[in-house]
Amino acid sequence: MTQRARLIYNPTAGNEGMTRYVAEILNVLESAGYEASAFQTTPEPFSAKKEASRATEDGFDLVVAAGGDGTINEVVNGIAPHQRRPKMAIIPAGTTNDYARALKIPREDPVAAAKVVASGKTLRMDIGQANDTYFMNIAAGGLLTELTYAVPSEFKSIFGYFAYVMKGAEMLPAVRRFPLHLEYDEGTYDGPASMFLLAMTNSIGGFEQIVPDSALGDGKFSLIVVKTANMADILVLMGKVLTGGRHVDDPNIIYTKTRVLKASRGDGDEMKINLDGEYGGSDPMTFTNLKQHIEMYANVDEIPAAAIGGAADHVKEVETIAHQDIDGDGKIGIK
Protein backbone atom coordinates (compact mmCIF):
# COMPACT_ATOMS: atom_id res chain seq x y z
CA MET A 1 0.00 0.00 0.00
CA THR A 2 1.39 3.38 -1.03
CA GLN A 3 2.18 5.73 1.85
CA ARG A 4 0.93 9.31 1.68
CA ALA A 5 2.78 12.50 2.56
CA ARG A 6 1.33 15.97 3.04
CA LEU A 7 3.58 19.00 2.62
CA ILE A 8 2.36 21.99 4.65
CA TYR A 9 4.30 25.09 3.66
CA ASN A 10 4.25 28.72 4.69
CA PRO A 11 4.72 30.93 1.60
CA THR A 12 5.70 33.96 3.72
CA ALA A 13 8.43 32.29 5.80
CA GLY A 14 11.98 33.60 5.61
CA ASN A 15 12.41 35.61 2.44
CA GLU A 16 9.07 34.39 1.03
CA GLY A 17 10.79 32.00 -1.36
CA MET A 18 9.39 28.63 -0.34
CA THR A 19 6.73 28.49 -3.08
CA ARG A 20 9.24 28.07 -5.89
CA TYR A 21 10.63 24.89 -4.29
CA VAL A 22 7.31 23.07 -3.81
CA ALA A 23 7.42 21.05 -7.04
CA GLU A 24 10.98 19.84 -6.39
CA ILE A 25 10.15 18.94 -2.79
CA LEU A 26 7.15 16.91 -3.92
CA ASN A 27 9.35 15.10 -6.42
CA VAL A 28 11.81 14.22 -3.64
CA LEU A 29 8.98 12.86 -1.48
CA GLU A 30 7.64 10.84 -4.41
CA SER A 31 11.10 9.36 -5.06
CA ALA A 32 11.24 8.39 -1.36
CA GLY A 33 8.14 6.27 -1.86
CA TYR A 34 5.37 8.63 -0.81
CA GLU A 35 2.32 9.75 -2.74
CA ALA A 36 2.81 13.46 -2.05
CA SER A 37 0.53 16.50 -2.03
CA ALA A 38 0.84 20.04 -0.76
CA PHE A 39 -1.09 22.61 1.28
CA GLN A 40 -0.21 26.31 1.30
CA THR A 41 -0.99 27.99 4.62
CA THR A 42 -3.31 30.98 4.66
CA PRO A 43 -3.55 34.09 6.87
CA GLU A 44 -6.33 32.34 8.79
CA PRO A 45 -5.24 31.73 12.42
CA PHE A 46 -3.75 28.27 12.99
CA SER A 47 -3.97 27.36 9.30
CA ALA A 48 -0.99 24.95 9.53
CA LYS A 49 -2.27 23.41 12.76
CA LYS A 50 -5.72 22.72 11.31
CA GLU A 51 -4.32 21.13 8.16
CA ALA A 52 -1.88 18.97 10.16
CA SER A 53 -4.75 17.77 12.34
CA ARG A 54 -6.88 17.03 9.26
CA ALA A 55 -4.05 15.10 7.59
CA THR A 56 -3.49 13.12 10.79
CA GLU A 57 -7.17 12.23 11.08
CA ASP A 58 -7.19 11.29 7.37
CA GLY A 59 -4.45 8.73 7.95
CA PHE A 60 -1.49 10.38 6.22
CA ASP A 61 1.78 8.58 6.97
CA LEU A 62 4.01 11.65 6.85
CA VAL A 63 3.44 15.38 7.43
CA VAL A 64 6.21 17.71 6.24
CA ALA A 65 6.33 21.19 7.81
CA ALA A 66 8.04 23.81 5.64
CA GLY A 67 8.56 27.20 7.25
CA GLY A 68 9.99 28.78 10.35
CA ASP A 69 9.83 27.42 13.90
CA GLY A 70 6.34 28.95 14.24
CA THR A 71 5.00 26.87 11.34
CA ILE A 72 6.69 23.75 12.69
CA ASN A 73 5.15 24.41 16.11
CA GLU A 74 1.69 24.66 14.56
CA VAL A 75 2.13 21.36 12.74
CA VAL A 76 3.28 19.72 15.98
CA ASN A 77 0.16 21.09 17.69
CA GLY A 78 -1.98 19.60 14.95
CA ILE A 79 -0.40 16.14 15.30
CA ALA A 80 0.44 15.77 18.99
CA PRO A 81 -3.09 15.41 20.49
CA HIS A 82 -3.92 12.37 18.37
CA GLN A 83 -3.48 8.78 19.46
CA ARG A 84 -2.27 7.69 16.03
CA ARG A 85 0.39 10.12 14.81
CA PRO A 86 2.18 10.28 11.44
CA LYS A 87 5.90 10.76 11.06
CA MET A 88 7.11 14.34 10.66
CA ALA A 89 9.78 16.01 8.58
CA ILE A 90 10.81 19.65 8.55
CA ILE A 91 12.07 21.98 5.85
CA PRO A 92 13.42 25.15 7.49
CA ALA A 93 12.62 28.51 5.96
CA GLY A 94 12.59 30.87 8.94
CA THR A 95 15.04 33.18 10.72
CA THR A 96 16.77 31.05 13.36
CA ASN A 97 15.53 27.53 12.50
CA ASP A 98 16.53 26.15 15.88
CA TYR A 99 14.81 22.81 15.47
CA ALA A 100 16.42 22.15 12.10
CA ARG A 101 19.79 23.08 13.58
CA ALA A 102 19.34 20.51 16.36
CA LEU A 103 18.38 17.77 13.87
CA LYS A 104 21.25 18.75 11.52
CA ILE A 105 18.88 19.42 8.65
CA PRO A 106 20.20 21.73 5.89
CA ARG A 107 18.94 25.26 6.59
CA GLU A 108 19.86 27.02 3.35
CA ASP A 109 18.54 24.55 0.77
CA PRO A 110 14.90 23.38 1.01
CA VAL A 111 15.41 20.60 -1.52
CA ALA A 112 18.43 19.25 0.38
CA ALA A 113 16.32 19.36 3.55
CA ALA A 114 13.61 17.32 1.83
CA LYS A 115 16.20 14.73 0.85
CA VAL A 116 16.66 13.91 4.55
CA VAL A 117 13.38 11.99 4.15
CA ALA A 118 14.97 9.88 1.44
CA SER A 119 17.66 8.78 3.91
CA GLY A 120 14.96 6.91 5.83
CA LYS A 121 16.51 7.73 9.21
CA THR A 122 14.33 9.01 12.05
CA LEU A 123 14.45 9.82 15.76
CA ARG A 124 11.61 9.56 18.24
CA MET A 125 11.48 13.11 19.60
CA ASP A 126 10.09 14.36 22.89
CA ILE A 127 7.26 16.88 22.69
CA GLY A 128 6.42 19.33 25.47
CA GLN A 129 2.88 19.95 26.66
CA ALA A 130 2.11 23.30 28.28
CA ASN A 131 -1.39 23.05 29.75
CA ASP A 132 -3.33 22.28 26.54
CA THR A 133 -0.69 23.50 24.06
CA TYR A 134 2.34 21.69 22.66
CA PHE A 135 5.89 22.79 21.86
CA MET A 136 8.92 21.04 20.40
CA ASN A 137 11.93 23.08 21.50
CA ILE A 138 11.58 25.73 24.22
CA ALA A 139 9.25 27.16 26.83
CA ALA A 140 10.24 30.18 28.86
CA GLY A 141 9.07 33.03 31.06
CA GLY A 142 10.63 36.41 31.87
CA LEU A 143 11.33 39.66 30.06
CA LEU A 144 14.01 38.50 27.63
CA THR A 145 11.87 35.50 26.67
CA GLU A 146 9.44 37.99 25.12
CA LEU A 147 12.16 38.93 22.64
CA THR A 148 11.13 36.60 19.82
CA TYR A 149 7.55 37.78 19.58
CA ALA A 150 8.52 41.39 20.23
CA VAL A 151 10.36 41.53 16.89
CA PRO A 152 7.94 42.37 14.03
CA SER A 153 7.75 39.72 11.30
CA GLU A 154 8.72 42.15 8.55
CA PHE A 155 11.79 43.15 10.61
CA LYS A 156 12.79 39.46 10.83
CA SER A 157 12.42 39.05 7.05
CA ILE A 158 14.62 42.05 6.27
CA PHE A 159 17.33 41.70 8.94
CA GLY A 160 17.16 37.99 9.80
CA TYR A 161 18.91 36.90 13.00
CA PHE A 162 20.44 40.36 13.42
CA ALA A 163 16.92 41.61 14.20
CA TYR A 164 16.99 39.60 17.42
CA VAL A 165 20.40 40.95 18.36
CA MET A 166 19.24 44.54 17.94
CA LYS A 167 16.01 43.96 19.86
CA GLY A 168 17.86 42.12 22.61
CA ALA A 169 20.28 45.02 23.07
CA GLU A 170 17.28 47.34 23.35
CA MET A 171 15.53 45.19 25.98
CA LEU A 172 18.53 44.20 28.12
CA PRO A 173 18.62 47.38 30.29
CA ALA A 174 14.95 46.84 31.19
CA VAL A 175 15.46 43.33 32.62
CA ARG A 176 14.19 43.06 36.20
CA ARG A 177 13.88 40.25 38.70
CA PHE A 178 10.49 39.05 39.85
CA PRO A 179 9.33 36.50 42.46
CA LEU A 180 9.16 33.08 40.81
CA HIS A 181 7.63 29.84 42.05
CA LEU A 182 8.80 26.62 40.37
CA GLU A 183 8.07 22.99 41.20
CA TYR A 184 10.22 20.41 39.40
CA ASP A 185 11.32 16.78 39.82
CA GLU A 186 14.13 17.43 42.27
CA GLY A 187 12.70 20.29 44.29
CA THR A 188 11.08 23.70 44.49
CA TYR A 189 12.38 27.20 43.90
CA ASP A 190 10.76 30.22 45.54
CA GLY A 191 12.80 33.32 44.96
CA PRO A 192 13.79 36.15 42.65
CA ALA A 193 14.67 35.47 39.02
CA SER A 194 14.80 37.27 35.70
CA MET A 195 13.74 34.27 33.59
CA PHE A 196 13.35 30.53 33.38
CA LEU A 197 13.88 28.34 30.34
CA LEU A 198 12.83 24.77 29.49
CA ALA A 199 14.77 23.28 26.59
CA MET A 200 14.36 20.07 24.62
CA THR A 201 17.33 20.42 22.24
CA ASN A 202 20.71 22.12 22.39
CA SER A 203 19.75 24.85 19.88
CA ILE A 204 18.12 27.99 21.27
CA GLY A 205 18.10 31.32 19.48
CA GLY A 206 20.90 30.17 17.20
CA PHE A 207 23.17 29.15 20.10
CA GLU A 208 24.18 25.52 20.64
CA GLN A 209 25.77 25.74 24.09
CA ILE A 210 22.90 27.06 26.22
CA VAL A 211 22.06 23.42 27.03
CA PRO A 212 25.46 21.75 26.56
CA ASP A 213 24.37 18.25 27.65
CA SER A 214 21.02 18.06 25.86
CA ALA A 215 20.01 14.56 24.81
CA LEU A 216 17.27 14.14 22.20
CA GLY A 217 14.44 11.83 23.19
CA ASP A 218 15.51 11.26 26.82
CA GLY A 219 12.11 12.24 28.24
CA LYS A 220 13.44 15.18 30.25
CA PHE A 221 13.47 18.96 29.93
CA SER A 222 16.63 20.91 30.68
CA LEU A 223 15.59 23.62 33.16
CA ILE A 224 17.61 26.84 33.44
CA VAL A 225 16.70 29.54 35.95
CA VAL A 226 18.54 32.88 35.76
CA LYS A 227 18.46 34.39 39.26
CA THR A 228 20.20 37.67 38.43
CA ALA A 229 19.07 40.74 36.50
CA ASN A 230 22.33 42.63 36.91
CA MET A 231 23.57 43.61 33.46
CA ALA A 232 27.21 42.84 34.26
CA ASP A 233 26.24 39.38 35.56
CA ILE A 234 24.12 38.67 32.47
CA LEU A 235 26.97 39.67 30.15
CA VAL A 236 29.28 37.33 32.08
CA LEU A 237 26.74 34.52 31.67
CA MET A 238 26.47 35.20 27.95
CA GLY A 239 30.25 35.02 27.69
CA LYS A 240 30.23 31.65 29.45
CA VAL A 241 27.58 30.39 27.02
CA LEU A 242 29.83 31.31 24.12
CA THR A 243 32.87 29.60 25.65
CA GLY A 244 31.67 26.04 26.07
CA GLY A 245 28.47 26.26 28.09
CA ARG A 246 30.21 27.02 31.38
CA HIS A 247 27.23 29.10 32.57
CA VAL A 248 25.53 25.99 33.96
CA ASP A 249 27.98 26.02 36.91
CA ASP A 250 27.55 29.73 37.68
CA PRO A 251 25.98 30.55 41.09
CA ASN A 252 23.46 32.82 39.33
CA ILE A 253 22.07 29.78 37.51
CA ILE A 254 19.92 26.83 38.53
CA TYR A 255 20.42 24.00 36.05
CA THR A 256 18.65 20.67 36.34
CA LYS A 257 16.65 18.04 34.44
CA THR A 258 12.95 17.46 34.99
CA ARG A 259 10.00 15.63 33.45
CA VAL A 260 7.42 18.07 34.79
CA LEU A 261 7.53 21.75 35.75
CA LYS A 262 4.87 23.91 37.40
CA ALA A 263 5.60 27.62 37.02
CA SER A 264 3.98 30.80 38.31
CA ARG A 265 4.88 34.25 39.55
CA GLY A 266 5.06 34.49 43.30
CA ASP A 267 3.35 37.89 43.47
CA GLY A 268 0.23 37.10 41.43
CA ASP A 269 1.18 39.34 38.50
CA GLU A 270 1.02 38.00 34.96
CA MET A 271 3.98 36.13 33.49
CA LYS A 272 3.78 35.67 29.73
CA ILE A 273 5.00 32.31 28.47
CA ASN A 274 7.05 31.87 25.30
CA LEU A 275 6.52 28.58 23.43
CA ASP A 276 8.88 28.00 20.50
CA GLY A 277 9.30 31.72 19.96
CA GLU A 278 5.63 32.68 20.10
CA TYR A 279 3.30 33.88 22.84
CA GLY A 280 1.86 30.76 24.45
CA GLY A 281 -0.39 32.11 27.20
CA SER A 282 0.16 33.19 30.78
CA ASP A 283 0.96 31.53 34.08
CA PRO A 284 0.22 29.47 36.06
CA MET A 285 1.32 26.74 33.68
CA THR A 286 2.26 23.07 33.96
CA PHE A 287 4.80 21.68 31.50
CA THR A 288 4.98 17.93 30.85
CA ASN A 289 7.52 16.07 28.72
CA LEU A 290 5.85 13.57 26.38
CA LYS A 291 8.72 11.18 25.81
CA GLN A 292 9.44 10.22 22.18
CA HIS A 293 5.97 11.38 21.17
CA ILE A 294 6.56 12.09 17.45
CA GLU A 295 8.90 10.28 15.07
CA MET A 296 10.94 12.85 13.13
CA TYR A 297 13.15 12.48 10.09
CA ALA A 298 16.63 13.70 11.00
CA ASN A 299 20.14 13.81 9.59
CA VAL A 300 21.13 11.14 12.11
CA ASP A 301 24.63 10.65 10.69
CA GLU A 302 25.56 14.24 11.64
CA ILE A 303 24.21 14.16 15.22
CA PRO A 304 26.75 13.16 17.89
CA ALA A 305 25.82 9.87 19.55
CA ALA A 306 25.92 11.51 23.00
CA ALA A 307 23.22 13.98 21.90
CA ILE A 308 20.73 11.32 20.86
CA GLY A 309 19.92 10.09 24.37
CA GLY A 310 16.74 8.06 24.69
CA ALA A 311 16.11 8.30 20.97
CA ALA A 312 19.12 6.00 20.49
CA ASP A 313 16.91 2.91 20.87
CA HIS A 314 15.28 3.77 17.55
CA VAL A 315 18.66 4.43 15.96
CA LYS A 316 19.66 0.90 16.94
CA GLU A 317 16.57 -0.42 15.22
CA VAL A 318 17.51 1.48 12.05
CA GLU A 319 21.08 0.16 12.27
CA THR A 320 19.81 -3.42 12.45
CA ILE A 321 17.71 -2.95 9.32
CA ALA A 322 20.30 -0.93 7.38
CA HIS A 323 23.32 -3.00 8.53
CA GLN A 324 25.23 0.25 9.12
CA ASP A 325 26.93 1.78 12.19
CA ILE A 326 24.91 5.00 12.30
CA ASP A 327 25.85 6.34 15.73
CA GLY A 328 29.58 5.61 15.41
CA ASP A 329 29.90 3.32 18.44
CA GLY A 330 31.54 0.51 16.47
CA LYS A 331 28.46 -1.70 16.71
CA ILE A 332 25.51 -2.33 14.44
CA GLY A 333 22.22 -2.54 16.32
CA ILE A 334 21.95 -3.69 19.92
CA LYS A 335 24.76 -6.11 20.80
Side-chain angles (χ1 to χ4, degrees):
M1 183 176 178
T2 303
Q3 293 189 315
R4 295 184 297 158
R6 188 66 158 167
L7 169 66
I8 300 174
Y9 70 98
N10 180 358
T12 66
N15 293 319
E16 303 186 358
M18 179 55 67
T19 302
R20 67 177 181 267
Y21 295 105
V22 169
E24 288 183 84
I25 292 169
L26 292 177
N27 283 338
V28 170
L29 297 176
E30 292 275 350
S31 67
Y34 289 97
E35 180 181 291
S37 57
F39 174 84
Q40 178 177 295
T41 61
T42 69
E44 176 189 2
F46 307 115
S47 172
K49 175 184 175 181
K50 293 175 182 177
E51 176 59 18
S53 180
R54 187 206 65 78
T56 300
E57 292 172 354
D58 200 34
F60 275 76
D61 302 283
L62 170 66
V63 175
V64 181
D69 287 338
T71 300
I72 298 167
N73 172 277
E74 278 200 43
V75 171
V76 165
N77 271 272
I79 292 174
H82 296 274
Q83 185 171 3
R84 182 267 178 199
R85 298 176 293 277
K87 294 179 182 179
M88 261 194 75
I90 63 174
I91 297 175
T95 305
T96 54
N97 300 312
D98 277 323
Y99 208 60
R101 187 188 302 269
L103 297 184
K104 304 300 182 183
I105 293 171
R107 290 173 283 124
E108 305 297 332
D109 185 343
V111 177
K115 289 180 179 178
V116 172
V117 173
S119 74
K121 297 174 183 178
T122 61
L123 294 175
R124 300 185 192 276
M125 296 293 289
D126 297 344
I127 297 297
Q129 184 171 1
N131 290 352
D132 296 325
T133 305
Y134 300 88
F135 61 100
M136 78 279 182
N137 198 34
I138 66 159
L143 183 60
L144 278 180
T145 68
E146 299 176 17
L147 172 61
T148 50
Y149 48 85
V151 178
S153 58
E154 62 272 17
F155 201 46
K156 296 178 191 177
S157 296
I158 296 171
F159 294 102
Y161 183 65
F162 189 56
Y164 293 110
V165 176
M166 290 186 287
K167 191 65 178 180
E170 174 188 320
M171 295 177 69
L172 191 58
V175 175
R176 297 288 184 271
R177 296 199 299 176
F178 58 92
L180 182 63
H181 174 76
L182 300 174
E183 298 176 23
Y184 47 95
D185 287 0
E186 296 185 357
T188 301
Y189 178 71
D190 277 295
S194 58
M195 66 170 286
F196 79 87
L197 175 71
L198 279 179
M200 302 176 71
T201 76
N202 70 329
S203 183
I204 301 169
F207 296 98
E208 297 188 11
Q209 290 296 327
I210 293 179
V211 185
D213 62 347
S214 175
L216 305 175
D218 67 351
K220 296 180 180 179
F221 297 119
S222 297
L223 170 63
I224 299 176
V225 182
V226 181
K227 296 186 284 185
T228 183
N230 179 276
M231 187 178 299
D233 290 340
I234 290 176
L235 291 174
V236 168
L237 290 173
M238 293 173 70
K240 289 184 175 182
V241 168
L242 296 172
T243 54
R246 296 182 297 113
H247 60 293
V248 300
D249 298 318
D250 192 281
N252 284 311
I253 293 288
I254 295 173
Y255 185 72
T256 187
K257 305 290 183 177
T258 187
R259 292 177 175 84
V260 177
L261 174 71
K262 295 181 179 180
S264 62
R265 281 188 66 127
D267 57 6
D269 287 352
E270 179 189 35
M271 176 172 59
K272 294 180 179 180
I273 303 298
N274 180 320
L275 299 178
D276 291 335
E278 304 292 338
Y279 173 65
S282 300
D283 69 315
M285 192 167 284
T286 297
F287 306 90
T288 305
N289 188 300
L290 305 179
K291 185 176 181 180
Q292 300 183 17
H293 196 65
I294 296 180
E295 187 174 349
M296 300 267 188
Y297 279 97
N299 196 354
V300 177
D301 294 342
E302 300 298 324
I303 301 174
I308 293 178
D313 292 342
H314 188 60
V315 175
K316 293 300 184 184
E317 295 173 11
V318 174
E319 285 187 340
T320 301
I321 297 170
H323 302 292
Q324 294 183 27
D325 178 17
I326 294 171
D327 58 14
D329 66 354
K331 302 176 182 178
I332 295 176
I334 301 172
K335 295 182 179 179

